[in-house]
Amino acid sequence: MVLKTSITLLALAIAGQAHGQVNQINQQSQIQPKASAQDIERIIVTGSRIAENIDEVPASITIITQKQIAQQLMVSSEIQSLLANLVPGMSPSTGTSSNSGQTLRGRAPLVMIDGVPQSTPLRNGALGIRTLDASVIERIEVIKGATSIYGNGAAGGIINYITKKANSDKKLSGHASISTRFSAVELEDSVGQRYEAGINGEVNNFNYVFNASYEENGLQRDADGDILGLKYGLSDAVMQNYFAKLGYHFDDEKSLQFTYNYYQSKQGVNLIDQVGNINTGEKTQAIAVPVGKSVLGEPQGPTNHNLMLKYVDDEIFAQTGLMVDLYRQEVENIFFYSPTLANPDAGYSGGQSLIRSEKKGLRLTFNTRVDFSLANGDSVETTFIYGIDALNDVTSQPMVDGRVWVPEMDMESLAGFLQTKLIYNDDLVIKFGVRQEDIDLTVNDYSTLKLCKKIDQCSVPVNVIGDTLNYTATTYNIGVKYNALALFSPFISYSQGADISDTGRLLRTATVTDIALIHTQASIIDNYELGFSSDFEQVHFEFATYFSTSEFGTTNKFNEVTGVYMPVRAPQEIYGYEALINYEINEAWVVNATYSWVEGKNTADDVYLGAKQISPPKATVNLNWQPSHTISLALNYLYVGNRKRFEPVDGEYVGDQGPIDSYQIVNVSGNYNFASDWSAFIGIENLFNQDYYPTKSQGYTYGGYNIKGLGTTVNIGVNYQF
């Protein structure tokens, strides 16, 4: 705690020093002007935790607008598919409730709602992307590459869901939507329904947003009309989201905001899996429960609560703003029932695990703005962003039946940070920063779980002595961007991230008797990136190439004796490139296309990384046509390439090393405004009924994962706005 106290004092000292410097040059300084309405789509908050223009960030950024989100909702409410279609560097959708295998540039991203972490990095269950309904989101900001700006878990970057704000022009406005979704291949039991509505407004200094959605899926069917496998499945799933945001403006500078978000997704289906085999080409599909058998376990899926309190003072000191974030998140993710979690000696024929995680945090962010002129007439705009992050994360993975698989991990983190931005003559942007983080991770005494794949194939339990592990890390970042030429605006950056992700996986397979002997040390990720953007007339083009190294990464190796996949920590390198082009052909036609390629290796053994991290090449094309204000049509094309880096072991592919064959998917959607307040829409997913396995289903050889993608599925509905 001595170091944590030192960090606190250091951050406060920085604040005081910056305040003093501002007072000394106050006579020649000016506050940065606020963004105008026409520039709002160019403003982001994720990259540095304050509002800034996207042109001032020397990194690859993808902004998904509310219009794009609404367009994707016409086809599907699944955020995984939305991100895969619109974000270069994001792996293709898994087609399930799990985002395992859906990485950002080959590493796990940190998912946030308004800056509050939703992922569970201490025991990464890969369910963080589905934490709210897409209808609640105003925009999505994706920052790629390792970053320590938000702390642990951001090895691949950040996906920040920015929730909707109140309409300040009206005391009351709102909307309602009803839709139905069904398989066009086999209609039987595939019909689902979705209801969504919200109101918002501003009365005097008070503003509010309320939104609710409820969705019931029917059976999900593939191109043959068969029911998709149930592992992380969405057949007969019920999704519900209730959202509230209340705000009060004390004056033009001070405001207080309270936000609550509840999201739940549960798959409760009276079917069982007929498990196939990727090596024999037999797909996994759901079938009726045979006579004499029953559905085992509880409905799988996440339940997520978020409470957030934000206070903003734009001028707490001279030219210094303050933002205080208090938050609490509780999540419970229940996984599928598995016979591999058996222990016949204790009377368990299988089991079902769940991840429990509770986070409580405080973020204190100061923002000091200083503008001044040099003797030669040049101008320099300087911004200092500094403060303290405090987080308590308590995560565990017990069994539903009461057994302990991953013991409770109690993490306390305190970090001080300083980020500086210099803008010289409006053209040259230089950013650099440092973050000092101190983490205490406490685990009490526990025993590893005895698991039996077969009666005579069991792991050996180990009694482990608990301890408090301490991690300290200092990470740096620096970036330069030059904006003088619209035709060529280059940037270069170097950033580091400190990561202790998935410590729970290491603990549950411990082979030593003392937690202090488990290799749990933090991994430092070094991320190098070079890119540029170009704008000429109606065309916008972006390109970036990157190289990322880490001291440790978590891969899996099959233990033939126990039948359990054990984690292997080894140095990794990941590299790739991305390109995007947006062409506004005319007022009616807009086309957007992307291409991304990524590869990675375990450098210790010089072997390629598997499908859990690395996805095949991906290309997308989004074509939008809006001939009038009453009609709009969109076509979305996704191409996923081949990746075949591994050879069979004893005639069979193992782990996440399955060969991946290419596939392509076409979605279409249309909207028609038939009255001033009413519109109807239709969306068709997999228009040509492509018969395919998603990348995860091909790459993962584990039993029950080889599930086909959705066949042609239709979504029809109406919207009302007032």
Side-chain angles (χ1 to χ4, degrees):
M1 292 304 296
V2 174
L3 182 55
K4 292 187 178 182
T5 303
S6 300
I7 294 173
T8 305
L9 294 175
L10 173 61
L12 294 176
I14 292 171
Q17 185 176 8
H19 180 207
Q21 291 173 344
V22 169
N23 286 336
Q24 292 175 14
I25 58 177
N26 189 36
Q27 304 247 333
Q28 56 185 4
S29 303
Q30 295 180 348
I31 299 175
Q32 278 186 320
K34 293 183 179 179
S36 58
Q38 61 265 33
D39 293 331
I40 194 64
E41 289 295 347
R42 304 291 295 171
I43 300 298
I44 66 167
V45 298
T46 305
S48 63
R49 308 194 352 178
I50 66 166
E52 61 182 345
N53 195 292
I54 195 172
D55 294 330
E56 299 172 3
V57 182
S60 291
I61 299 170
T62 297
I63 304 297
I64 301 176
T65 65
Q66 190 171 356
K67 182 178 180 180
Q68 291 174 306
I69 294 170
Q71 187 181 87
Q72 293 290 321
L73 272 170
M74 296 180 195
V75 177
S76 170
S77 63
E78 285 303 308
I79 298 180
Q80 283 189 3
S81 299
L82 183 153
L83 292 170
N85 289 336
L86 298 176
V87 180
M90 192 78 185
S91 300
S93 173
T94 67
T96 67
S97 64
S98 169
N99 50 270
S100 175
Q102 189 173 26
T103 58
L104 186 58
R105 290 185 171 180
R107 300 189 186 275
L110 179 66
V111 180
M112 302 189 299
I113 296 177
D114 292 332
V116 174
Q118 305 300 301
S119 306
T120 55
L122 289 178
R123 175 69 275 272
N124 188 0
L127 296 172
I129 286 181
R130 299 177 80 248
T131 54
L132 79 172
D133 189 80
S135 64
V136 175
I137 305 173
E138 180 173 284
R139 55 197 270 124
I140 303 174
E141 299 177 357
V142 182
I143 311 295
K144 303 167 195 174
T147 176
S148 62
I149 291 175
Y150 289 92
N152 182 45
I158 301 165
I159 300 173
N160 194 8
Y161 303 138
I162 310 297
T163 58
K164 287 183 176 178
K165 299 179 179 63
N167 182 355
S168 60
D169 297 331
K170 295 182 179 180
K171 294 183 178 180
L172 174 65
S173 61
H175 69 279
S177 174
I178 183 173
S179 60
T180 183
R181 197 163 186 259
F182 55 88
S183 169
V185 183
E186 178 59 61
L187 183 64
E188 183 182 3
D189 296 326
S190 71
V191 179
Q193 53 274 336
R194 173 181 167 85
Y195 311 93
E196 188 261 319
I199 57 172
N200 70 89
E202 185 164 330
V203 180
N204 298 324
N205 292 346
F206 176 78
N207 59 78
Y208 63 93
V209 178
F210 297 104
N211 205 87
S213 64
Y214 181 87
E215 183 172 2
E216 292 183 357
N217 280 344
L219 297 181
Q220 307 288 282
R221 297 184 180 272
D222 63 19
D224 297 323
D226 296 324
I227 305 169
L228 303 187
L230 304 177
K231 188 169 288 188
Y232 297 111
L234 294 170
S235 285
D236 282 354
V238 175
M239 290 79 69
Q240 47 190 325
N241 191 189
Y242 306 103
F243 176 85
K245 180 184 286 186
L246 305 173
Y248 185 80
H249 292 274
F250 298 99
D251 53 38
D252 291 339
E253 297 172 349
K254 302 178 186 65
S255 63
L256 185 67
Q257 179 179 280
F258 169 80
T259 305
Y260 173 71
N261 182 71
Y262 170 85
Y263 177 81
Q264 184 182 72
S265 173
K266 292 294 181 183
Q267 181 193 22
V269 59
N270 191 30
L271 300 167
I272 65 170
D273 270 339
Q274 178 178 291
V275 179
N277 188 307
I278 191 171
N279 287 287
T280 63
E282 182 184 2
K283 68 183 178 185
T284 293
Q285 60 181 307
I287 60 173
V289 181
V291 177
K293 290 191 175 183
S294 60
V295 176
L296 300 175
E298 298 182 10
Q300 57 177 303
T303 300
N304 190 24
H305 297 266
N306 281 276
L307 285 167
M308 296 165 265
L309 186 66
K310 180 188 294 289
Y311 174 74
V312 175
D313 188 337
D314 290 333
E315 196 77 9
I316 191 168
F317 303 135
Q319 299 184 235
T320 296
L322 167 68
M323 183 167 59
V324 180
D325 287 293
L326 280 168
Y327 61 87
R328 178 169 183 162
Q329 188 230 14
E330 295 180 5
V331 62
E332 182 177 274
N333 288 326
I334 299 179
F335 295 90
F336 53 87
Y337 186 91
S338 173
T340 62
L341 299 175
N343 182 355
D345 291 343
Y348 299 106
S349 59
Q352 191 174 16
S353 72
L354 60 97
I355 290 178
R356 286 197 182 106
S357 182
E358 181 180 327
K359 303 183 188 75
K360 292 176 286 187
L362 165 67
R363 288 186 173 139
L364 189 67
T365 304
F366 292 92
N367 167 31
T368 299
R369 305 167 300 277
V370 181
D371 300 350
F372 55 92
S373 299
L374 302 179
N376 61 0
D378 293 340
S379 65
V380 178
E381 301 173 15
T382 308
T383 304
F384 299 96
I385 306 163
Y386 47 97
I388 300 170
D389 288 346
L391 171 64
N392 177 227
D393 182 347
V394 180
T395 298
S396 62
Q397 187 177 14
M399 306 292 290
V400 172
D401 55 38
R403 290 178 288 168
V404 175
W405 197 12
V406 176
E408 189 173 272
M409 298 167 286
D410 190 337
M411 185 188 81
E412 291 188 358
S413 170
L414 185 64
F417 64 91
L418 170 65
Q419 298 286 325
T420 303
K421 176 173 66 177
L422 303 174
I423 303 178
Y424 181 75
N425 280 349
D426 296 326
D427 295 327
L428 180 64
V429 180
I430 302 174
K431 298 185 77 172
F432 55 89
V434 59
R435 180 185 178 97
Q436 172 68 43
E437 190 139 18
D438 184 37
I439 297 175
D440 288 335
L441 182 66
T442 300
V443 180
N444 295 327
D445 297 352
Y446 73 100
S447 296
T448 60
L449 195 62
K450 181 180 179 180
L451 299 177
C452 300
K453 188 172 184 180
K454 300 176 183 177
I455 294 179
D456 59 349
Q457 190 180 21
C458 300
S459 61
V460 179
V462 177
N463 294 322
V464 183
I465 299 173
D467 203 348
T468 297
L469 305 175
N470 179 259
Y471 307 89
T472 58
T474 305
T475 52
Y476 304 90
N477 62 79
I478 184 169
V480 179
K481 196 170 192 292
Y482 189 62
N483 294 319
L485 301 175
L487 287 176
F488 183 68
S489 178
F491 72 87
I492 185 171
S493 68
Y494 166 72
S495 60
Q496 290 183 307
D499 194 80
I500 62 168
S501 292
D502 226 347
T503 301
R505 182 181 286 272
L506 299 173
L507 297 182
R508 79 184 190 190
T509 55
T511 57
V512 296
T513 58
D514 193 327
I515 190 176
L517 301 176
I518 301 175
H519 295 295
T520 58
Q521 59 262 50
S523 177
I524 300 296
I525 297 101
D526 295 298
N527 189 75
Y528 308 84
E529 184 172 9
L530 176 67
F532 69 91
S533 62
S534 297
D535 289 286
F536 44 98
E537 297 182 350
Q538 295 101 337
V539 178
H540 174 76
F541 179 75
E542 297 177 9
F543 176 84
T545 183
Y546 55 88
F547 180 75
S548 172
T549 65
S550 60
E551 301 172 70
F552 301 102
T554 300
T555 55
N556 299 321
K557 184 177 181 180
F558 184 68
N559 187 314
E560 295 285 354
V561 177
T562 63
V564 175
Y565 286 90
M566 302 288 290
V568 177
R569 305 201 84 190
Q572 297 177 349
E573 63 179 24
I574 297 175
Y575 44 91
Y577 63 89
E578 303 163 1
L580 174 148
I581 185 168
N582 189 80
Y583 180 27
E584 297 183 4
I585 302 171
N586 53 42
E587 292 184 357
W589 290 91
V590 177
V591 61
N592 176 282
T594 73
Y595 183 81
S596 51
W597 179 90
V598 61
E599 193 51 87
K601 278 190 171 184
N602 172 337
T603 56
D605 299 328
D606 193 29
V607 296
Y608 287 101
L609 300 176
K612 185 177 181 180
Q613 289 185 259
I614 306 300
S615 62
K618 185 190 76 171
T620 67
V621 178
N622 296 288
L623 180 64
N624 298 283
W625 180 52
Q626 187 169 355
S628 69
H629 70 280
T630 60
I631 298 176
S632 64
L633 296 172
L635 181 145
N636 307 114
Y637 170 78
L638 169 68
Y639 170 79
V640 177
N642 298 305
R643 185 174 187 257
K644 301 178 180 181
R645 294 294 192 184
F646 308 100
E647 298 296 329
V649 177
D650 296 329
E652 293 189 343
Y653 292 97
V654 299
D656 62 347
Q657 299 180 356
I660 298 174
D661 292 317
S662 64
Y663 60 89
Q664 46 195 333
I665 304 297
V666 175
N667 302 333
V668 294
S669 62
N671 186 78
Y672 175 59
N673 298 322
F674 59 86
S676 59
D677 298 328
W678 289 89
S679 64
F681 64 87
I682 182 171
I684 304 176
E685 185 171 358
N686 193 1
L687 176 66
F688 299 112
N689 200 35
Q690 174 80 39
D691 187 14
Y692 74 102
Y693 288 97
T695 56
K696 176 182 174 181
S697 297
Q698 298 186 63
Y700 281 31
T701 67
Y702 318 113
Y705 279 87
N706 59 324
I707 301 167
K708 285 198 171 183
L710 271 178
T712 301
T713 303
V714 180
N715 189 42
I716 300 175
V718 293
N719 288 320
Y720 171 68
Q721 296 189 57
F722 63 92

